[in-house]
Amino acid sequence: MTGYKKSLIPVLITVVFLIFSCKNENTSASPDNNSETAISQEHPKLILTAQGVKDIRAQLGSIPIFDESLAKVKEEIDAEIASGIEMPIPKDYSGGYTHARHKRNWFVLQKAGVLYQILDDEKYAKYVKDMLMQYEEIYKTLPLHPKTRSYARGKLFWQCLNDSNWLVYVSQAYDCVYNYLTEEERNKLENNLFRPFADHISVDSPQFYQRVHNHSTWGNAAVGMIGLVMNDEELINRALYGIKDLKLNTKEKDDDGGFLNKDGKAGFLANIEEPFSPDGYYNEGPYYQRYAMYPFLVFAQGLHNVKPELKIFEYKEGVLLKSINALLNLSDADGEFFPLNDGQKGMSYYNSALVTAVDVSYHYGKQDPGLLSIAKQQNQVLLDDSGLAVALGIKNGEEKPFNKSSINLSDGSDGTQGGVGVLRNEDLELVFKYAAQGSSHGHYDKLSYSLYENGEEVLQDYGLSRFVNIEQKGGGNYLKENKTWAKQTIAHNTLVQNETSHYNGKYEIGSQHHPELNYFSSENKDVQVASAKEMNAYLGTEMLRTMAVIKDENFEKPYLLDIMKVTSNTTNQYDFPYYYFGQVLETNFEYSSPTTLKPLGGENGYQHLFVEGTGNATGENTKFSWMNNRKFYTLTTVTNTKDELLFTRIGASDPEFNLRRDPALLLRRKDSKNTTFVSIIETHGSYSPISESAMNSKSSIKTIKVVLDSNDYTAVEITHIDENKKLFITSNTNASKEVKHKVTIDGKNYEWSGSYYFK
Amino acid sequence: MTGYKKSLIPVLITVVFLIFSCKNENTSASPDNNSETAISQEHPKLILTAQGVKDIRAQLGSIPIFDESLAKVKEEIDAEIASGIEMPIPKDYSGGYTHARHKRNWFVLQKAGVLYQILDDEKYAKYVKDMLMQYEEIYKTLPLHPKTRSYARGKLFWQCLNDSNWLVYVSQAYDCVYNYLTEEERNKLENNLFRPFADHISVDSPQFYQRVHNHSTWGNAAVGMIGLVMNDEELINRALYGIKDLKLNTKEKDDDGGFLNKDGKAGFLANIEEPFSPDGYYNEGPYYQRYAMYPFLVFAQGLHNVKPELKIFEYKEGVLLKSINALLNLSDADGEFFPLNDGQKGMSYYNSALVTAVDVSYHYGKQDPGLLSIAKQQNQVLLDDSGLAVALGIKNGEEKPFNKSSINLSDGSDGTQGGVGVLRNEDLELVFKYAAQGSSHGHYDKLSYSLYENGEEVLQDYGLSRFVNIEQKGGGNYLKENKTWAKQTIAHNTLVQNETSHYNGKYEIGSQHHPELNYFSSENKDVQVASAKEMNAYLGTEMLRTMAVIKDENFEKPYLLDIMKVTSNTTNQYDFPYYYFGQVLETNFEYSSPTTLKPLGGENGYQHLFVEGTGNATGENTKFSWMNNRKFYTLTTVTNTKDELLFTRIGASDPEFNLRRDPALLLRRKDSKNTTFVSIIETHGSYSPISESAMNSKSSIKTIKVVLDSNDYTAVEITHIDENKKLFITSNTNASKEVKHKVTIDGKNYEWSGSYYFK
């Protein structure tokens, strides 16, 4: 790499200066200056602008991160040009050759187009033209793709989604070589390739195009971007507002079980309107937002440049840029997104879509210097106007750390459908999910949470059951265990009643309801609390969960206090799992372990859990310590002696080894109506296998005790091993900041204003 | 850290220069120059010498890594002095307060003594004196330690081993303040503390002292080092040669099940003689060598300085320094030692004993510049003559990479008791164990292996079942599962006959036998082979295992070829496990998975394995692919359709969750006499959860086939998926390099000289 950089950059610089050194243009990079004056007939105009190209050319050779990104792309595309164009007749699913090749082609075309603009070297334009002409040649003859699995088949690919991906990229390439082509060439391409292509993914595939879904977003953007290049108002309007006068059956479902078009909305603006909350939370969660982000942002760039009057980046109070901030905040210390809903673990802000997001957000937003530090970690910028702005920011030393703090993100297009709260203190991160269903990718996990410490999972959210693009595992598609396990309530750190999932595991029911915020408070860094209520997951049962990240000077690190108050008009069995990792160290209860392992149940995910141990709580507090990755953890939870404790492990009824063999401790409380689960999770100490020394390996909690539990208040007394006592009182009702509260506990009066009391 | 360095070093420099700037001494660091002229009556003389102290003082402030190490120690000891001396009456086991405090005291004393010498500040000498006097005060009154678990109880600690640790360190402290003390003070300490202390761990505890064992090495070194300081020839001789005229019962055993004194040998020289092979392999393996290394090397330093005529570093052809090289070579890419026998994973050359080893090896050896790169990673040097030499080497830029290459280390005091071979190519490391029993810490795992890729385990050796110093897990001691699981043959990647362990799992039998090397060949980097034979693990059965790490240009990476040839005069069941990690991806055989999991057997470790799946081989090659840590792996093994395949997981009969829940694939061949297991393990490709792309996720092996299998030769034909064929022929007999071989396979003649043929 280093050698390559050394050798290539001077060449680039030389090339560029030979070409441009005689010109004396305005060399300032001026983010956003030209938006109001953009001339829509100029090319390029989507992600690059004529002025932007001038600026880039002027700065080349003096903007290291841009120069390096350019050098990498140039090397890649030069190799592609050298190896020649491949244009196979489509026949494979994803994973197969024809799929992979046409996918590769779309990236190559986009990059070659950009190189032509930046380096002004005709070989790139010619290459783009040649490949486009070959596409024009075959597209005319193509029937529907021969593979039949999709609800909306494409022509180049097995699904319209991928055809749309193609057009989103290729329209950029076309934009870059537009002026290089003759009018005759353009007419040929537009009439035989681009317009029929746009029609196929829209008017010919309304079940794909005419809805609010990340798939349609790609479709809308594809149609809109080619419309912008071709200056075709009809296509642009079809992109923005959907297919005119078309209404679909609102009851039909797609392959994933989601409604095809629940409320008849469609088009790019509806796709911004619906899935994003006013805080920028995307209803399917960060993993899918990352996927959807690219078409949102590149089409928005194009609209910003060509149709500034639309003020797309100000649409819905600037939600597109807010959503990028939300997305970045939904990542752990390593930049990996919290795997809410069907999220694959490991996806992070190093993904190329996030390069787009960060650069666009910086350029079209407020030039937040924190974004520059992420761009620097990404070590890559876009080869466009926004990438130039970022490169200049970094070059000029404007970078600052991107500080993720606690954040509460509302869900729902109007922000009233629950949300996701992230509480952060020191290295501890609590992700508390009280969001709505999350479309067809949602899990039945109301009021669930996951806990991280410095990027490591302490209590995990399982994520999805899928090995994306690993052909050996079901072709890389969703595995059946995604439905039978990963979506089920028992797969999550939340309450299960009578071994059934929330909303009976039914999408139709789940998508009608959502939890409600009780309060969110992060003003006092040492006592941050999120509290929310769910009333529809189980008929007749209410769950109110209050989670606090508390930093008490008597403890080494912040700890998590978890209060789940259950109120029911029926007698039930409640299961309350903790999905820890690592090695059991110690318990304060006796348990027996069976000689043979049997599944815990028969359905709703229970069929996937083996029981490795069973015991009963022996005191008012049950304690469980474990060790993982050289750190210690302790759960202390309030119990009664009828409570059962089960050690479980995922992996039963899993004949193809699709699931990870991860453990949990499950607290089971039978024959209960109203009850409150109160627990503290501590992370503490460390172990070094090098010095073989264990530091602070034991819990600092002596006892936790519920000293009041009424409709209005729940009060927990926390006693440290040094006998220091603290009292936490949460307001179960009337929790807004202004309200004054007064309660008497054991004859002592407590008064406070606001959501909670802690002293 | 940085802030601390910045603030403290100038202070140190100033201090040192104020004291010494008026002197004009010889400032050259002269490793080893003074050994022949050392005056044994000078002090200090153990790890520091009078000349060494002068040299160090002269260089202070200009030797960064030494200055930093010094600053850290000074900060640590200044804090200890400020907090005052603690001298509790002994009562706890390890993990308890009195144990931890006296352990801490020994380190503090040693460091304070060194600081006194280097900084010439009396406060350190006074502190050492005060604490020693307090030890003198209590030691007179101490009975045996009240805890009774040890076969040899100490007085300060529950076992003589820890008392010996104490004396090894404290004799260095005494040496450093020797001249600071009055003769009267010295007499008091020697008569009431040091001499009785040395007697207790030796003449009063012969079962601990008078044997060949890492425990005794500490005892010998302790007695010898205090003898050197006190100039007491009797103690020095007791250290070097054992307690005069004492013979112990050679049948008795210690707590670990090892013989107390199998052949009557004792003393430091016997402890060098016996456990180290001529190649420097330590018979218990690297984890225990690391532990034993410190007393070997510090006592050797003292002997080198005080009794140069003993030529201790040349003893047994320089085996002490050879052993350091062996130890460093028994670590993976991250510096972690291979967990042979009862080794705890994670122990590495960052352990402080290895700082001693690396510095001593550099200074008293041949100033290998590779050692400097390890010292630099350790980021710490000894505060003595050898540490100065290393610091100067680094300062002068003499550092070179420490290249670990393939190495064959014989076992046994004369090098004829088998050994350990490590084959390395690119990132792949094969550790092939054909060593002798390894004393009481040995496992019954003849001809077993583990496989690493760039520091990650591909096929693991389980290691030990113990959580060292983690009190919650059996007080940090060996867990019962160490005997019932970790030592058993089935816990290892080797052959098990009829579900019994090698040598019937009996130490008495195992310690009488060992495998024999057939050949080791690493000259051709592309085809490296280790081959060894075991004839006593099972009566009437011979196992010859030949393992080759082959780099074939048709493959992405080197692969492992494994040929286990079994010859038996009885009909047996053979089990052949592969302890992989991660997720099953694909098999070419059908298998069923049970609804309930049952243990595979009832004893010899089988009681700890659950069966998660069973199937039968369906063809001549069985294939199994898995994925771990974003990489792909494939096993291809020659089978017949009667072969069974079992998916197992550790964790049955483990009521306290002492074992890790790790998986294995087990190949079972029933009703067989002679048979040969032939397998290839490939590591290939990678997966990125960020780009979600899988590269080279499939095996490159089409088939492997045994085309000849006679008493003298086994020949394997390996066919690549591109149909390229290679033939590997191993010489099962007469494998020495000079021998010429000629065989005919399918009518074709093959001729070669030496151990194997590959083309």
Side-chain angles (χ1 to χ4, degrees), chain A residues 287 290 336 344-348 350-351 467-473 583-586 591 593 595-599 610 612 627 630 632 647 649 654-661 687 689-690 692 694 697-698, chain B residues 287 290 336 344-348 350-351 467-473 583-586 591 593 595-599 610 612 627 630 632 647 649 654-661 687 689-690 692 694 697-698:
Chain A
Y287 177 79
R290 174 269 327 168
E336 296 185 7
Q344 177 161 280
K345 291 183 181 178
M347 179 55 74
S348 78
Y350 294 96
N351 179 276
F467 296 79
V468 183
N469 290 328
I470 296 181
E471 207 190 330
Q472 296 95 321
K473 281 292 196 191
Q583 201 79 27
V584 173
L585 273 196
E586 202 175 28
Y591 59 91
S593 62
T595 312
T596 63
L597 301 190
K598 293 181 185 142
F610 279 122
E612 294 191 330
M627 179 186 181
R630 308 180 179 183
F632 298 102
F647 286 99
R649 190 169 303 271
D654 178 27
E656 293 181 345
F657 292 94
N658 286 336
L659 298 173
R660 301 188 305 267
R661 264 50 180 167
Y687 181 74
I690 294 170
E692 297 189 328
S697 69
K698 302 208 169 165
Chain B
Y287 177 78
R290 174 272 324 169
E336 297 185 6
Q344 176 161 282
K345 291 182 181 179
M347 179 56 73
S348 78
Y350 293 96
N351 180 275
F467 296 80
V468 183
N469 290 328
I470 296 181
E471 207 190 329
Q472 295 96 321
K473 281 293 195 191
Q583 201 78 28
V584 173
L585 273 195
E586 201 174 29
Y591 59 90
S593 62
T595 311
T596 62
L597 302 191
K598 293 181 184 140
F610 279 121
E612 294 191 330
M627 178 185 182
R630 309 179 178 183
F632 298 101
F647 286 99
R649 190 169 304 269
D654 178 27
E656 297 182 341
F657 293 94
N658 287 335
L659 298 173
R660 301 188 305 267
R661 265 51 180 166
Y687 180 74
I690 294 170
E692 298 190 323
S697 69
K698 302 210 170 165

Side-chain angles (χ1 to χ4, degrees), chain B residues 139 153 155 160 163 167 190-191 193-209 219 222-223 226 230 232 234-235 238 243:
Chain B
Y139 196 79
R153 287 151 72 188
K155 289 190 164 185
C160 275
D163 280 41
L167 190 56
E190 295 187 5
N191 293 332
L193 178 62
F194 293 130
R195 206 176 312 262
F197 200 109
D199 285 345
H200 177 70
I201 59 174
S202 56
V203 289
D204 297 345
S205 307
Q207 76 280 24
F208 159 77
Y209 187 84
V223 169
I226 198 67
M230 291 159 58
D232 182 325
E234 196 273 322
L235 288 181
R238 196 192 294 169
I243 304 164

Side-chain angles (χ1 to χ4, degrees), chain A residues 96-107:
Chain A
Y97 165 71
T98 74
H99 182 100
R101 187 62 239 180
H102 288 293
K103 180 173 175 179
R104 177 106 194 96
N105 283 353
W106 84 50
F107 289 115

Side-chain angles (χ1 to χ4, degrees), chain B residues 239-259:
Chain B
L240 291 171
Y241 309 109
I243 304 164
K244 212 175 165 187
D245 300 329
L246 175 77
K247 296 287 173 226
L248 289 182
N249 178 348
T250 58
K251 301 289 181 204
E252 259 184 274
K253 289 193 192 172
D254 69 7
D255 302 351
D256 293 334
F259 289 111

